[in-house]
């Protein structure tokens, strides 16, 4: 909130004195003085407001509610059991004891929910009051803008934005091919929301590297399932997928279907290496241990088939994603899902470290589909994901912000380097990032936290080409 103020120099009198040696200048302004103190106070209040309302706070309630949602049916079940068993013997007494404990815990949760809700109510009332005050005071300050500097700046900004839009619109767009990958049912990728889910899950803080999400093409009956792969050995390797029957069970950490083991050893041939894995059509796709290959693990048959990537593919932590200070170990291969299936992002020696994108055709065994080369250096990127047939890449801006800066449309070959879409992070490093076409969510695994964001698409009319 910056105000540029120019005091009009309404009157400048030069008073000639009698002495020829010295002269006195007198500045007199008919305008009131600009209240710098008020502006400073305003700025402080505004940053207070920003500090008080954090994304962590908004997900706290949701987690509590989900917890309650799970505990109540359990209580009901226990009460039913008690009713059945209540023949006055020891089992009845035992069940009663369990239920008493259950009720005490639920009461504690309700109390916590109540106090959290009360706190939010107060916070939100306070904040909206403060915002109203800020607005009024800003309007008063605007009165000082006698030269209409601020107003004109705002008008200029609007004009500049229109001009930019105009310029972008005039880009010679390559006519869209008939490729179905180039059309997106949701419109154009515009922005991402704040965090929608933020949870430490079942093993808070235990495994810094991993990935989680939803199967975009689930088997019948598994539509609401979530999966989680944590790199449980040396932060690099894993040998199982953990399944949850719903988002709330993932948040409260109750894994009902449990683990599906790839192999009893970890690591060994064809187990998981590196965090950027995805689940698609009931199979897990990942970088196979110690190989330049994509592994496909069929969760039903528990068998692994492999897909060898082109000669020269960098692996074993030689072609990683990086931020400004460090590279993320064993992120050579980034598997991705979108509306059109499974993709893999990697780099090769012959591409001098630039990102390469290949379609993975999900047969048995999977095969390598078309391949595209990009002009962005993989180490200059912190992660990638696919959405609606377009590749997006992110870079690290600060510990709180990641930027989706780059896009590549394989249907047209068009690259963009200036997307400027920002992600609010809940932990500094995003080790895996993937798009879920079922609900248009981005799932991020960041230093043991699971965070999701909603992708906001801009509806466009059917005749307008998508040229992101
Ligand atoms: C919630 O908290 C308020 C104030 O602490 C209290 O007056 C109210 O009875 C509580 N409600 C429940 C349902 O516990
Ligand atoms: C994008 O979304 C974020 C978070 O919801 C919001 O703060 C920001 O203003 C949005 N940006 C645009 C250009 O709409
Ligand atoms: C997994 O194996 C089953 C049984 O052979 C098969 O029906 C299914 O299509 C396989 N899934 C994938 C993704 O290959």
């Amino acid at each position: 909130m910056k105000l540029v103020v120019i005091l009009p120099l309404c009157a400048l009198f030069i008073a000639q004195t009698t002495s020829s040696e010295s002269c006195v200048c007198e500045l007199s302004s008919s305008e009131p003085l600009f209240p710098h103190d008020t502006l400073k106070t305003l700025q402080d209040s505004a940053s207070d407001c920003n500090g008080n309302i954090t994304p962590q706070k908004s997900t706290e309630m949701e987690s509590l509610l989900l917890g309650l949602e799970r505990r109540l049916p359990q209580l009901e079940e226990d009460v039913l059991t008690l009713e059945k068993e209540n023949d006055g013997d020891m089992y009845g007494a035992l069940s009663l004891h369990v239920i008493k404990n259950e009720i005490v815990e639920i009461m504690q949760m309700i109390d916590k929910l109540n106090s959290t809700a009360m706190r939010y109510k107060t916070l939100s009332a306070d904040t909206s009051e403060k915002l109203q005050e800020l607005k009024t005071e800003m309007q008063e300050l605007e009165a000082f803008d006698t030269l209409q500097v601020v107003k004109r700046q705002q008008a200029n900004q609007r004009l500049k934005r229109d001009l930019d839009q105009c310029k972008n619109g005039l880009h010679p767009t390559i006519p869209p091919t008939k490729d179905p990958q180039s059309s997106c049912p949701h419109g154009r990728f515009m922005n991402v929301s704040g965090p929608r889910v933020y949870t430490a899950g079942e093993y808070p803080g235990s495994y810094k590297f991993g990935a989680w999400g939803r199967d975009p093409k689930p088997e019948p009956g598994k539509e609401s399932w979530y999966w989680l792969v944590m790199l449980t050995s040396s932060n690099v390797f894993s040998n199982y997928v953990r399944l949850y029957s719903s988002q709330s069970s993932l948040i409260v950490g109750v894994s009902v279907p449990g683990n599906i083991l790839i192999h009893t050893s970890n690591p060994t041939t064809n187990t998981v290496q590196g965090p950027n894995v995805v689940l698609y059509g009931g199979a897990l796709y990942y970088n196979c241990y110690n190989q330049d290959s994509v592994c496909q693990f069929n969760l039903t048959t528990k068998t692994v088939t492999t897909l060898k990537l082109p000669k020269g593919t960098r692996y074993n932590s030689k072609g990683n994603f990086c931020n400004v200070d460090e590279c993320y170990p064993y992120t050579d291969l980034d598997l991705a899902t979108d509306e059109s299936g499974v993709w893999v992002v990697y780099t090769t020696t012959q591409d001098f470290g630039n990102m390469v994108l290949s379609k993975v055709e999900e047969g048995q065994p999977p095969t390598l589909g078309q391949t595209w080369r990009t002009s962005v250096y993989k180490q200059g990127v912190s992660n990638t994901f696919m959405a609606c047939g377009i590749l997006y890449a992110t870079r690290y801006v600060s510990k709180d912000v990641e930027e989706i800066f780059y896009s590549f449309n394989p249907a047209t070959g068009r690259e963009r380097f200036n997307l400027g879409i920002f992600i609010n992070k809940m932990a500094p490093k995003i080790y895996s990032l993937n798009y879920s076409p079922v609900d248009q969510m981005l799932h991020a695994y960041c230093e043991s936290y699971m965070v999701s964001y909603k992708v906001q698409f801009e509806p466009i009319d059917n005749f307008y080409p998508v040229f992101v």
Side-chain angles (χ1 to χ4, degrees):
M1 231 177 269
K2 245 184 229 163
L3 259 187
V4 178
V5 177
I6 295 178
L7 275 180
L9 302 177
C10 281
L12 185 64
F13 299 111
I14 299 174
Q16 195 81 36
T17 56
T18 42
S19 155
S20 57
E21 310 281 291
S22 67
C23 74
V24 176
C25 296
E26 185 187 332
L27 169 68
S28 92
S29 164
S30 60
E31 296 291 316
L33 276 179
F34 181 73
H36 285 281
D37 290 347
T38 315
L39 181 60
K40 178 84 181 60
T41 325
L42 275 177
Q43 277 175 335
D44 291 347
S45 321
S47 65
D48 277 356
C49 267
N50 279 339
N52 279 339
I53 297 191
T54 61
Q56 280 93 335
K57 282 191 179 146
S58 57
T59 41
E60 199 179 327
M61 288 277 282
E62 198 178 349
S63 308
L64 280 169
L65 278 172
L66 283 167
L68 261 183
E69 204 176 271
R70 209 192 68 74
R71 293 308 286 263
L72 290 175
Q74 194 173 325
L75 178 65
E76 201 176 345
E77 213 172 276
D78 289 347
V79 169
L80 281 175
T81 317
L82 177 69
E83 277 170 4
K84 270 190 248 144
E85 281 175 355
N86 194 12
D87 47 7
D89 64 10
M90 194 180 73
Y91 293 110
L94 219 62
S95 303
L96 191 60
H97 186 66
V98 168
I99 287 169
K100 264 193 205 149
N101 283 343
E102 189 82 9
I103 290 178
V104 168
E105 276 179 35
I106 288 178
M107 290 310 290
Q108 283 168 350
M109 284 174 98
I110 291 178
D111 280 349
K112 181 138 186 248
L113 195 62
N114 185 26
S115 61
T116 314
M118 299 293 263
R119 234 176 337 112
Y120 287 164
K121 221 171 127 192
T122 322
L123 182 65
S124 118
D126 283 359
T127 312
S128 64
E129 196 182 313
K130 248 197 206 137
L131 281 177
Q132 195 52 48
E133 280 170 23
L134 282 177
K135 197 173 148 200
T136 318
E137 288 180 52
M138 281 308 287
Q139 275 162 353
E140 280 165 19
L141 283 185
E142 258 178 45
F144 284 89
D145 185 22
T146 44
L147 289 185
Q148 310 249 307
V149 178
V150 175
K151 258 202 194 120
R152 259 178 227 160
Q153 267 185 348
Q154 285 167 348
N156 279 347
Q157 269 166 7
R158 270 195 297 274
L159 280 173
K160 193 163 171 297
R161 205 178 46 218
D162 290 350
L163 185 64
D164 282 347
Q165 276 170 0
C166 230
K167 271 197 209 146
N168 285 337
L170 280 178
H171 259 298
T173 53
I174 306 153
T177 58
K178 291 278 179 287
D179 195 331
Q181 284 159 14
S182 67
S183 64
C184 177
H186 321 294
R188 195 142 66 101
F189 191 117
M190 284 308 288
N191 202 359
V192 291
S193 72
R196 286 290 165 84
V197 167
Y198 167 55
T199 177
E202 199 175 355
Y203 307 96
S206 292
Y207 304 108
K208 285 187 96 167
F209 293 79
W212 70 292
R214 274 176 96 161
D215 186 341
K217 208 177 88 184
E219 286 162 2
K222 300 181 180 172
E223 289 82 1
S224 60
W225 285 24
Y226 278 71
W227 58 271
L228 169 64
V229 169
M230 296 160 287
L231 303 186
T232 49
S233 168
S234 319
N235 283 335
V236 180
F237 312 110
S238 178
N239 60 342
Y240 67 90
V241 191
R242 196 157 172 79
L243 297 170
Y244 298 87
S245 59
S246 67
Q247 180 166 290
S248 30
S249 12
L250 176 113
I251 291 173
V252 296
V254 176
S255 165
V256 171
N259 294 348
I260 300 195
L261 208 60
I262 302 169
H263 197 281
T264 46
S265 302
N266 184 25
T268 186
T269 311
N270 291 348
T271 55
V272 180
Q273 171 166 304
N276 286 302
V277 314
V278 296
L279 189 72
Y280 187 89
L284 192 74
Y285 293 82
Y286 54 92
N287 184 181
C288 321
Y289 166 61
N290 196 27
Q291 285 182 64
D292 50 353
S293 304
V294 172
C295 270
Q296 182 205 54
F297 170 63
N298 187 323
L299 268 60
T300 314
T301 57
K302 303 193 175 54
T303 49
V304 181
T305 43
T306 63
L307 162 62
K308 193 156 172 60
L309 292 177
K311 199 161 176 293
T313 294
R314 310 284 282 156
Y315 69 112
N316 278 348
S317 220
K318 301 231 174 60
N320 289 331
F321 289 133
C322 305
N323 69 28
V324 279
D325 295 321
E326 58 180 311
C327 291
Y328 302 157
Y330 295 87
T331 51
D332 307 86
L333 266 56
D334 183 8
L335 276 301
T337 56
D338 75 347
E339 285 75 3
S340 52
V342 181
W343 303 77
V344 58
V345 173
Y346 54 102
T347 183
T348 70
T349 309
Q350 57 273 26
D351 289 295
F352 308 106
N354 283 354
M355 281 200 314
V356 176
L357 170 71
S358 291
K359 184 79 184 63
V360 175
E361 308 297 348
E362 311 102 35
Q364 302 164 56
T367 52
L368 201 62
Q370 217 178 325
T371 291
W372 295 267
R373 318 208 119 71
T374 73
S375 58
V376 67
Y377 191 48
K378 187 156 181 278
Q379 290 196 357
V381 162
S382 56
N383 225 303
T384 66
F385 61 90
M386 292 291 300
C388 276
I390 310 264
L391 172 71
Y392 295 91
T394 61
R395 67 180 164 209
Y396 182 99
V397 176
S398 70
K399 67 178 189 22
D400 302 314
V401 177
E402 202 88 353
E403 181 189 0
I404 302 172
F405 74 101
Y406 169 86
S407 71
F408 170 69
N409 184 345
T412 60
R414 183 164 189 239
E415 288 184 296
R416 284 186 60 185
F417 288 85
N418 59 349
L419 293 194
I421 299 170
F422 297 96
I423 301 178
N424 287 317
K425 286 187 285 188
M426 309 301 275
K429 289 171 232 162
I430 299 181
Y431 290 128
S432 80
L433 184 63
N434 192 43
Y435 168 74
S436 161
V438 217
D439 47 10
Q440 292 85 52
M441 299 293 284
L442 274 181
H443 293 124
Y445 192 99
C446 345
E447 304 183 50
S448 91
Y449 288 102
M450 290 175 266
V451 190
S452 69
Y453 304 86
K454 179 92 182 163
V455 175
Q456 286 152 1
F457 289 97
E458 179 192 59
I460 43 175
D461 72 62
N462 291 335
F463 302 104
Y464 194 69
V466 183
F467 57 91
V468 181

